[in-house]
Amino acid sequence: METITESTEESTLRNRRLHRKGKSISSVEEELATKNAENKQKLQCAGSDEPEKLKSQPAPTEVLSDRESVKSDNEPRFVIRVQLDGASVVLFVLSFVTRFFRLTHPNGVVFDELHYGRFASLYLRNTFYFDQHPPLGKMLIAGAASAVGYGGKFEFPKIGSEYDASVPVFAFRFIPALCGSLLAPAVYSILRQLKLSQSICIIGGLLIVFDNALLTHSRFILMEPMLLLFSTVGILFVLKFLEAKPFSAHWWSFGTVAAASLTAGVCVKYVGCLSYFLACYIIGRHVWMQFPDRTQSNIYLLTKSTVKAALFVTVSLALYLGCFYVHLNSLYKAGPHDSVMTSAFQASLEGGLASITKGQPLRIQHGSQITLKHTHGRVCWMHSHAHVYPIKYKDGRGSSHQQQVTCYGFKDVNNWWIVKRPDKENIVVGDEPDYIQDGDVIQLVHGVTSRALNSHDVASAVTPLSQEVSCYIDYNISMPANLLWKVEIINAKDSKNKWNAITSQVRLIHVVTNAALKFTGEQLPDWGFNQFEMAADRRQFTIDTIWNVEEHRYTQDNERKDVLEKLLKTEMIPLEPTTLSFWDKFSELQMKMLLHAEKMEGHMYSSEPFDWPLMDKGIAYWVDSTSNAQIHLLGNLVIWYTATLAIVAYVGLLVFYLIRRRRKIFDLSEEEWQKFRFGGEIFLAGYFIHYLPYFFVERTLFLYNYLPALLYKILLLCFVLEHIQLVIKKFVKVRLVSMIYSTMLWGWVAGVIYFYSKFSVLCYGTTELSADDVLKLRLKDTWDLIVHKP
């Protein structure tokens, strides 16, 4: 469906305005002629690289000035006509057939379905989970599964596990397959929006349909099909938005849909931000190109730009917050990942931390037994044990040989510490409460070994720029005990300066050295049992110096033996769950998503960005246990290699034309030149925006990370094919050459389809293959196709 706006003829509108101002048309034309002559003379003097006759008028393919798109007062402001584009329908049907063919095969967990299927199941059980990406894609998949009555009982244990009868495989894979089916018409519409010929636009859609990687990735419970569709539709409506008359109904509608679609891409995966950046580039370029239009006042340009920004920000924030509001309100039960969150967040979940902390006292005082949890980032608790630091490290540095203090990722009796006032000998909670407040100085005594937390001017084991933290052992040498720590409560106003369990976030500052107790994130060697390093750092104000008390009870016995026995045996008696607002949960979850980056170990199918343009490595998604039938992520080699050449071709042509225009040789008309620049630049920018950032990413990467960049590479390929066609028609008068080019073009399309059909056996996994069949499909030595049957 296309929305069409009717407009008044430009000449009629100009006449009306001129009569209102009391000027004759002839007098205005004389003034314009004079101004054009002056501008021509100035341009000649300045040595401009543009033809003078073109400098005096706006670029034809850029968005026209607002005055040129004003409607007649007598005509309707908002007219909608429904047009059925047969090409879009055919592309959708073709995509739908290829994506939905035997969609339920294989009836087992394929690659990352392990994660996304599990997340969707947890939604249906209202169980909290943690993922580094926003939740929209998982919610859509869960909604489709819920619509057919699935209850979320399947656990998705491992790749290859067979789905039981309760799992609606078709419903789970429906949303990604539908989004993959809609992608080809969306690409076709973008090319049509940029006024490319219909034949090239159809070819663009076919390239999406017949790319094996896009096909494979659209058939399983994966996020990329949704990400690609939302981002593509967003860019399409950005282009429509910039062509609409400002502040018209179309303008508001297109802008709202563009912002919502781009934000939906972000809400599926944060990599969708790259498409948002591309949209900002396109809009910014449009604003910049309007600056020379003196028919628009400064106030008008500023107002229009401000309203554009406000529209996009408002819609984006509303959708993003709404997505997380549904997410957090749906997942109200404790789950397998809630230990990632702070203690207060866990205690707000049904059956969460409250089930083990119920009944524990709230306020920390002298004699409190506590566990200190690292609040942000990796989940671990401050820990100590009887083992000491080695006398010397591998690099030759010496240690204090004191008792080790580490950060341990599991709950353990050695995580317990006792809070003690420096001036009190016993550690028993007295009849008169002695609460610890913000700014108080304390000692922390390890519950099992009874040694106090210490720090000194000795380099830490793994991060020598920080100082060592230990439990002090008196070796009767010149190394005094420095056992005093000042309590700084970050959110002291919330608790009236009192140190509370669960909710208070604290820093512990070493009094002698003024260094903060810190989780460094570094793993200790075997002598430290591969636990994480603790240190003291004079850079106090980092998130890794923030701690909170998770478990808490009072010491009631004087005898160390009795204290230790109760530490080992006593179980917590429960308390009421905490209540956190949406904003508290939202802000904490955002911080965790940004900071809790689990580094995946090397994967046999991982690849580097420089491997992607020429597809040096694929990914094994699934293999049949009884034959060599398999699903392997590989793109269409014809498309990928030709599109890579198209990038080189476009850049070469752009440099060629710029040099020629600098020499006052104008091969293209101004309309052709602006079209070449505008379309090519946004596709080239889209490619690099979605590709280059991965060179700076330190985590493990896979070929599917390249799919968004591939989309813009295909769009640029279509643009180059159209331009070559234009050049042949314009400069080669022999009709035979044009016919040869068309024949070669459609022959190339036939080659694309041939490659697709030959390698489709790796997309569907329905064909049994012999070892020789697999080896014939292995066109590159780096392709790790699986052969486990002769």
Side-chain angles (χ1 to χ4, degrees):
M1 182 175 70
E2 291 187 7
T3 306
I4 300 176
T5 306
E6 296 183 349
S7 63
T8 310
E9 291 183 0
E10 181 185 351
S11 59
T12 304
L13 177 58
R14 187 185 297 120
N15 289 342
R16 288 181 180 177
R17 288 183 176 163
L18 294 176
H19 284 305
R20 288 175 189 166
K21 295 183 178 181
K23 292 184 178 181
S24 66
I25 297 176
S26 58
S27 63
V28 173
E29 288 177 345
E30 290 175 2
E31 292 176 12
L32 289 175
T34 304
K35 290 181 179 179
N36 287 339
E38 293 174 355
N39 291 336
K40 179 177 180 180
Q41 185 177 3
K42 291 178 181 178
L43 289 171
Q44 288 174 339
C45 295
S48 170
D49 65 346
E50 300 289 343
E52 293 81 354
K53 63 179 181 179
L54 298 175
K55 277 288 186 177
S56 61
Q57 60 186 16
T61 57
E62 294 294 339
V63 180
L64 299 177
S65 69
D66 298 339
R67 294 193 177 191
E68 293 175 350
S69 60
V70 177
K71 300 178 182 303
S72 169
D73 297 336
N74 298 325
E75 292 189 350
R77 290 279 180 180
F78 191 66
V79 178
I80 297 179
R81 293 176 183 169
V82 178
Q83 291 185 347
L84 193 61
D85 191 323
S88 292
V89 174
V90 171
L91 287 170
F92 172 73
V93 171
L94 195 57
S95 294
F96 189 89
V97 170
T98 57
R99 270 64 179 168
F100 279 84
F101 173 70
R102 298 194 65 178
L103 188 62
T104 58
H105 179 82
N107 189 41
V109 179
V110 176
F111 196 55
D112 277 349
E113 286 189 335
L114 176 73
H115 305 297
Y116 300 125
R118 185 180 297 163
F119 293 154
S121 293
L122 291 173
Y123 269 117
L124 301 178
R125 302 203 302 266
N126 302 113
T127 302
F128 180 80
Y129 73 85
F130 177 81
D131 185 31
Q132 287 180 281
H133 290 288
L136 180 59
K138 280 85 74 178
M139 285 196 292
L140 292 175
I141 291 172
S146 176
V148 295
Y150 175 63
K153 293 182 179 180
F154 189 73
E155 295 294 336
F156 292 83
K158 62 180 181 178
I159 296 174
S161 299
E162 290 292 320
Y163 290 123
D164 60 37
S166 68
V167 180
V169 181
F170 183 87
F172 262 119
R173 295 174 179 171
F174 176 80
I175 295 294
L178 180 62
C179 291
S181 302
L182 291 168
L183 184 60
V187 166
Y188 169 84
S189 298
I190 284 184
L191 295 173
R192 290 294 285 168
Q193 182 68 25
L194 291 175
K195 307 298 186 293
L196 269 67
S197 65
Q198 188 168 35
S199 60
I200 294 295
C201 296
I202 292 173
I203 288 175
L206 291 175
L207 296 181
I208 300 299
V209 173
F210 293 121
D211 182 75
N212 301 67
L214 293 174
L215 167 64
T216 303
H217 220 65
S218 298
R219 291 175 45 82
F220 304 108
I221 313 172
L222 302 171
M223 297 295 106
E224 275 68 25
M226 290 174 274
L227 168 68
L228 292 174
L229 179 65
F230 289 141
S231 300
T232 304
V233 171
I235 297 300
L236 171 63
F237 276 90
V238 165
L239 296 174
K240 288 180 175 290
F241 172 65
L242 296 181
E243 279 198 355
K245 176 184 176 295
F247 308 111
S248 67
H250 285 145
W251 189 83
W252 289 105
S253 301
F254 292 155
T256 301
V257 173
S261 188
L262 290 167
T263 307
V266 176
C267 290
V268 171
K269 268 192 165 185
Y270 276 131
V271 73
C273 289
L274 299 178
S275 295
Y276 212 109
F277 295 155
L278 175 62
C280 292
Y281 165 75
I282 295 172
I283 295 173
R285 185 186 189 281
H286 166 74
V287 172
W288 179 258
M289 297 303 293
Q290 282 199 329
F291 277 2
D293 184 3
R294 299 303 296 272
T295 63
Q296 302 182 64
S297 68
N298 294 339
I299 296 297
Y300 180 75
L301 284 173
L302 179 62
T303 301
K304 189 171 61 171
S305 300
T306 303
V307 173
K308 283 180 184 177
L311 174 63
F312 271 70
V313 169
T314 302
V315 172
S316 299
L317 281 177
L319 183 58
Y320 189 77
L321 291 173
C323 180
F324 276 94
Y325 183 83
V326 174
H327 174 70
L328 290 170
N329 280 277
S330 299
L331 306 181
Y332 56 83
K333 295 180 181 178
H337 302 154
D338 59 355
S339 62
V340 172
M341 310 307 292
T342 63
S343 302
F345 193 106
Q346 293 179 62
S348 70
L349 298 173
E350 183 180 303
L353 188 65
S355 64
I356 61 168
T357 60
K358 196 172 173 186
Q360 70 179 21
L362 175 66
R363 291 185 175 179
I364 312 301
Q365 61 172 301
H366 170 80
S368 288
Q369 299 171 14
I370 63 173
T371 60
L372 280 169
K373 182 184 178 184
H374 182 229
T375 303
H376 300 298
R378 179 175 288 275
V379 177
C380 61
W381 291 264
M382 190 168 77
H383 175 96
S384 187
H385 39 238
H387 302 276
V388 296
Y389 291 109
I391 296 176
K392 284 199 172 183
Y393 302 122
K394 284 186 177 180
D395 60 3
R397 291 185 297 112
S399 78
S400 66
H401 202 46
Q402 300 279 327
Q403 180 173 306
Q404 296 174 16
V405 173
T406 66
C407 206
Y408 189 45
F410 301 92
K411 295 198 174 184
D412 186 271
V413 68
N414 282 309
N415 297 351
W416 285 96
W417 300 81
I418 300 173
V419 178
K420 179 181 176 298
R421 291 282 191 187
D423 56 352
K424 291 187 177 182
E425 291 299 323
N426 64 55
I427 53 173
V428 179
V429 172
D431 295 334
E432 293 292 329
D434 186 6
Y435 296 127
I436 307 299
Q437 300 190 75
D438 183 37
D440 284 358
V441 174
I442 62 168
Q443 293 177 343
L444 287 173
V445 179
H446 188 238
V448 174
T449 63
S450 296
R451 293 186 175 126
L453 187 69
N454 175 75
S455 188
H456 38 219
D457 193 15
V458 175
S460 190
V462 184
T463 53
L465 294 179
S466 299
Q467 63 191 40
E468 183 188 83
V469 172
S470 65
C471 280
Y472 184 73
I473 302 174
D474 187 3
Y475 288 120
N476 198 23
I477 57 176
S478 58
M479 187 173 285
N482 297 316
L483 312 178
L484 302 182
W485 299 83
K486 185 174 73 171
V487 177
E488 288 188 357
I489 303 175
I490 298 171
N491 55 342
K493 290 182 179 180
D494 298 338
S495 59
K496 299 180 180 178
N497 292 329
K498 297 291 192 300
W499 187 7
N500 291 341
I502 304 226
T503 57
S504 292
Q505 297 183 4
V506 302
R507 284 192 177 94
L508 295 172
I509 309 298
H510 191 238
V511 172
V512 175
T513 61
N514 202 36
L517 185 69
K518 179 183 178 181
F519 162 79
T520 67
E522 300 294 336
Q523 201 163 10
L524 296 171
D526 291 342
W527 55 257
F529 306 96
N530 301 116
Q531 296 173 16
F532 289 92
E533 182 188 40
M534 292 284 291
D537 196 332
R538 287 184 172 85
R539 294 171 298 176
Q540 300 176 5
F541 302 104
T542 67
I543 59 172
D544 285 323
T545 61
I546 301 175
W547 304 84
N548 69 275
V549 171
E550 184 172 273
E551 297 180 63
H552 178 216
R553 55 177 174 247
Y554 290 151
T555 305
Q556 304 292 343
D557 302 285
N558 276 312
E559 294 294 328
R560 178 182 175 278
K561 180 180 178 182
D562 296 334
V563 172
L564 180 57
E565 184 178 351
K566 287 191 175 181
L567 281 173
L568 293 170
K569 293 183 178 179
T570 304
E571 294 192 10
M572 302 313 321
I573 311 171
L575 158 118
E576 292 296 321
T578 59
T579 301
L580 295 181
S581 68
F582 163 72
W583 294 108
D584 291 334
K585 288 186 174 183
F586 173 77
S587 57
E588 179 179 331
L589 184 57
Q590 291 300 295
M591 183 175 291
K592 291 291 184 180
M593 291 168 72
L594 292 172
L595 299 177
H596 194 81
E598 293 286 352
K599 291 184 179 179
M600 183 187 297
E601 298 296 330
H603 193 284
M604 66 178 297
Y605 289 106
S606 64
S607 54
E608 298 298 327
F610 53 77
D611 296 324
W612 300 340
L614 299 180
M615 202 170 56
D616 287 337
K617 200 168 184 180
I619 310 172
Y621 275 14
W622 174 86
V623 63
D624 194 325
S625 58
T626 61
S627 72
N628 292 320
Q630 58 191 281
I631 296 172
H632 202 96
L633 184 72
L634 287 172
N636 190 311
L637 210 62
V638 179
I639 297 174
W640 287 48
Y641 276 52
T642 313
T644 301
L645 289 175
I647 295 173
V648 178
Y650 179 79
V651 173
L653 285 169
L654 181 63
V655 172
F656 172 77
Y657 287 138
L658 287 172
I659 293 174
R660 297 269 292 176
R661 294 175 79 82
R662 192 65 180 169
R663 294 289 297 165
K664 305 296 184 186
I665 303 172
F666 304 101
D667 303 292
L668 304 177
S669 69
E670 184 65 10
E671 181 178 359
E672 293 165 346
W673 169 241
Q674 292 299 339
K675 180 179 179 179
F676 177 79
R677 284 188 57 190
F678 179 66
E681 282 177 13
I682 64 173
F683 294 149
L684 188 65
Y687 176 74
F688 285 123
I689 287 173
H690 287 82
Y691 177 49
L692 294 182
Y694 287 105
F695 284 94
F696 306 97
V697 173
E698 295 182 357
R699 62 182 174 85
T700 303
L701 299 171
F702 297 90
L703 182 63
Y704 63 74
N705 294 122
Y706 188 62
L707 295 181
L710 171 68
L711 183 66
Y712 289 97
K713 189 162 76 167
I714 291 174
L715 287 166
L716 185 61
L717 169 61
C718 296
F719 205 81
V720 171
L721 293 175
E722 169 91 354
H723 186 71
I724 293 174
Q725 197 173 57
L726 168 70
V727 170
I728 290 174
K729 288 181 179 179
K730 186 168 184 176
F731 298 105
V732 182
K733 303 303 182 183
V734 181
R735 181 176 175 80
L736 180 62
V737 175
S738 180
M739 294 174 62
I740 292 173
Y741 175 75
S742 297
T743 303
M744 291 175 61
L745 180 61
W746 289 105
W748 170 78
V749 173
V752 168
I753 297 173
Y754 170 76
F755 188 96
Y756 159 80
S757 62
K758 181 177 180 180
F759 282 82
S760 62
V761 294
L762 299 179
C763 302
Y764 296 106
T766 56
T767 305
E768 291 190 6
L769 302 171
S770 66
D772 289 338
D773 293 333
V774 175
L775 292 177
K776 288 178 182 177
L777 293 172
R778 192 168 179 260
L779 299 184
K780 304 185 76 170
D781 292 338
T782 52
W783 289 5
D784 297 325
L785 302 182
I786 298 173
V787 177
H788 66 77
K789 296 288 181 182

